[in-house]
Amino acid sequence: MLDRVDAPSDQTLPRRIAHLDMDAFFASVELLRYPQLKGLPVVIGGGRRREDDLLLRLREAYPDREWATDSLDHIPVDFFPRLAGYTGRGVATTATYAARQFGVGSAMGLMKAAKLCPQAILLPVDFDEVKRISRLFKSTIREIAPVVEDRGVDEVYIDFTHVPGGQREGGRVLARLIQKSIFQATGLTCSIGVAPNKLIAKMASEFNKPNGISIVQPGDLQALIWPLPCRKINGVGPKADEKLQGHGIHTIGELAQRERGWLVEHFGKSYGAWLHEVSWGRDERVVQTESEPVSMSRETTFERDLHAVRDRAELGAIFTRLCQQVAADLSNKGYLGKTIGIKLRYDNFQSVTRDVTLDSFTADPATIRRQAGLCLKRVDLSRRIRLLGVRVGKLVKPGTDGSVPQVYSEPASPPPPRDKIRHDRNDLLFPELDG
DNA sequence: TCTGGGGTCCTAGGACCC
DNA sequence: TCTGGGGTCCTAGGACCC
């Protein structure tokens, strides 16, 4: 066990922040169940909820055998579905390192991935198992270092500063202990970066994947950070990167050479100043152990683009289901919301949103359905739609601060006559979408 | 070969109030 | 009657992240 010679004794310890990233998480979770696929190209995706396709196929092919979930490691590799011939709109959630060799990466369309690596095995995501392993690796970390910030199912920040052993070798000793403990608890590997702040720690965790540890000290900025492309900064996406490149700025070092005023001039007061700060490796954000959700939503991309007239029954059924799902999510987690909204994506990928804020809170599916229906009538429904979503925002959790939120109830008086409220032709065309 | 689903945060204009 | 500024809330869109 670690000794306690450097246990917190004063507040002047240098900040040591770790970023931990599970390696190819979704795919690795599948490999736990199907160890016979180890070393093979495996792509996780295909999106849509369904029964475990593999078990269904097995039972059809071998009706005489009992395919229990604990005998899955006996399934011959040849039996697994391949990416070749995939048709559909799914994207890859993640890919094993063997599949990445072929250029397949997360967020890539599966049809494209099938071209690059048709022999790759395609497995759907098992969300329940992913969540179980996620809880397991996070609780393992918290037993060692309690200050942990959730960044999704497969990532966390950890504050090493005041953890016993957290300062040794710049954090490497504690990082090794955490890696080892996670492997013992889950059988999975992760990559860890330790640095003076979150910004650098996040970049450092990528230096040595998979199963790596990288330590960055304040003096390493020039050697380790400045040569990196700006896109490696968490918060510089494709748009900002393209604009930076347009100004001849490709690396973080080049970014650091621009004057703050110049950046503010070209990228805005807030973003420009932030770019300047991060290029010099400065980031004072603390590791946040708690957070409250701001909104909850459900959305779905259709198998084929739908039209509000021709496919109105189908669209209406999906719409109602989304409202019920988001209402159930709110109830399950104990939240009420005040803003109801919808999102549409047209066949040309353009998105629109509409929302309305009630004067009180709700988690009632019928209320959400009605208000979302009114929102739907405010958008152009003449074009084909590929995605529909329902969102509830301005959330409160009753009973947390002692106050009782006013719960929404439908107005007792009849709605105003139809010719008094704003209408467009959607009303007449699509009455079944009414609230 | 078009591009999932769940989120957060920021910006900007307009309403409305003081 | 006209002209203000500041603050806050609402709405729509978009960038970005996991």
Side-chain angles (χ1 to χ4, degrees):
Chain A
M1 232 0 238
L2 295 166
D3 58 51
R4 298 195 162 253
V5 288
D6 57 358
S9 55
D10 62 84
Q11 300 299 325
T12 64
L13 289 173
R15 253 175 29 120
R16 296 309 291 168
I17 308 296
H19 180 262
L20 182 151
D21 197 1
M22 298 300 289
D23 297 322
F25 189 50
F26 289 68
S28 304
V29 166
E30 293 300 322
L31 289 189
L32 291 175
R33 197 185 318 194
Y34 309 117
Q36 64 270 47
L37 303 183
K38 209 162 280 178
L40 298 175
V42 177
V43 174
I44 305 298
R48 249 151 253 290
R49 303 174 317 282
R50 53 192 176 201
E51 299 303 311
D52 191 331
D53 288 351
L54 191 60
L55 267 182
L56 288 176
R57 291 178 52 182
L58 278 169
R59 290 189 177 122
E60 276 172 27
Y62 305 102
D64 50 319
R65 282 186 67 171
E66 187 69 24
W67 289 104
T69 46
D70 58 359
S71 63
L72 294 177
D73 56 335
H74 299 312
I75 300 169
V77 168
D78 287 344
F79 205 88
F80 284 80
R82 305 288 163 148
L83 206 42
Y86 179 89
T87 56
R89 296 183 143 166
V91 298
T93 301
T94 193
T96 58
Y97 288 88
R100 294 182 195 197
Q101 308 261 291
F102 293 87
V104 178
S106 47
M108 176 182 287
L110 287 177
M111 306 249 300
K112 179 177 178 180
K115 298 263 177 203
L116 292 170
C117 188
Q119 73 274 28
I121 286 156
L122 176 66
L123 294 174
V125 182
D126 183 342
F127 281 107
D128 290 340
E129 185 65 1
V130 160
K131 279 191 223 153
R132 189 182 72 82
I133 306 269
S134 179
R135 282 192 296 267
L136 184 55
F137 92 78
K138 286 170 189 171
S139 66
T140 303
I141 296 169
R142 285 194 179 93
E143 280 176 24
I144 300 167
V147 183
V148 175
E149 175 176 332
D150 238 293
R151 297 298 298 182
V153 280
D154 65 341
E155 276 190 40
V156 292
Y157 288 105
I158 315 162
D159 194 335
F160 278 14
T161 310
H162 299 293
V163 178
Q167 298 284 344
R168 292 176 59 186
E169 295 177 35
R172 188 179 298 277
V173 173
L174 187 57
R176 266 201 296 260
L177 174 66
I178 288 173
Q179 257 187 347
K180 197 176 129 200
S181 305
I182 289 176
F183 188 79
Q184 281 170 353
T186 67
L188 298 183
T189 66
C190 60
S191 297
I192 303 178
V194 194
N197 58 48
K198 287 180 168 183
L199 175 86
I200 310 289
K202 167 82 177 162
M203 291 191 262
S205 67
E206 266 195 64
F207 287 173
N208 216 356
K209 271 174 173 291
N211 200 21
I213 293 173
S214 299
I215 307 296
V216 178
Q217 299 289 1
D220 296 333
L221 180 73
Q222 203 168 335
L224 297 180
I225 304 299
W226 278 5
L228 300 174
C230 298
R231 191 63 228 280
K232 294 287 180 190
I233 298 168
N234 190 245
V236 173
K239 300 286 181 181
D241 189 46
E242 197 188 334
K243 192 169 166 186
L244 286 164
Q245 305 244 19
H247 286 107
I249 302 167
H250 305 97
T251 67
I252 300 174
E254 286 165 357
L255 184 60
Q257 298 319 307
R258 298 291 172 130
E259 299 212 358
R260 174 190 293 265
W262 186 90
L263 288 168
V264 167
E265 199 181 308
H266 288 87
F267 291 88
K269 193 175 164 171
S270 165
Y271 196 66
W274 177 80
L275 280 175
H276 181 74
E277 288 302 298
V278 298
S279 72
W280 284 87
R282 294 193 281 259
D283 174 21
E284 292 301 313
R285 291 172 302 161
V286 300
V287 173
Q288 222 87 53
T289 54
E290 316 228 352
S291 69
E292 280 296 310
V294 172
S295 67
M296 292 186 194
S297 66
R298 287 289 187 130
E299 66 184 50
T300 187
T301 297
F302 314 131
E303 311 262 357
R304 59 183 177 88
D305 296 341
L306 297 182
H307 191 276
V309 173
R310 204 162 43 253
D311 308 302
R312 58 190 191 183
E314 199 176 344
L315 207 49
I318 292 168
F319 189 40
T320 299
R321 180 167 49 79
L322 290 169
C323 293
Q324 290 166 343
Q325 285 173 330
V326 81
D329 293 342
L330 288 165
S331 301
N332 290 337
K333 292 174 181 154
Y335 287 90
L336 300 173
K338 211 178 172 200
T339 300
I340 318 283
I342 56 137
K343 171 169 134 184
L344 258 73
R345 183 124 74 205
Y346 294 112
D347 53 1
N348 66 356
F349 222 69
Q350 183 210 343
S351 299
V352 293
T353 63
R354 292 293 180 272
D355 60 53
V356 61
T357 299
L358 311 177
D359 48 20
S360 48
F361 295 88
T362 187
D364 172 45
T367 302
I368 293 169
R369 175 63 179 77
R370 197 171 307 110
Q371 297 298 330
L374 294 173
C375 288
L376 237 203
K377 292 200 293 188
R378 290 155 50 198
V379 303
D380 178 11
L381 290 178
S382 65
R383 294 158 58 184
R384 279 144 64 95
I385 302 162
R386 74 165 2 239
L387 172 148
L388 181 60
V390 176
R391 194 183 87 100
V392 177
K394 297 227 164 46
L395 303 184
V396 289
K397 190 164 198 171
T400 45
D401 63 352
S403 69
V404 179
Q406 172 143 26
V407 175
Y408 184 84
S409 60
E410 291 302 320
S413 54
R418 290 177 75 82
D419 58 352
K420 286 273 168 65
I421 54 178
R422 191 184 152 271
H423 280 304
D424 53 39
R425 59 206 173 82
N426 292 341
D427 255 352
L428 302 173
L429 279 174
F430 316 114
E432 74 291 340
L433 295 177
D434 282 7

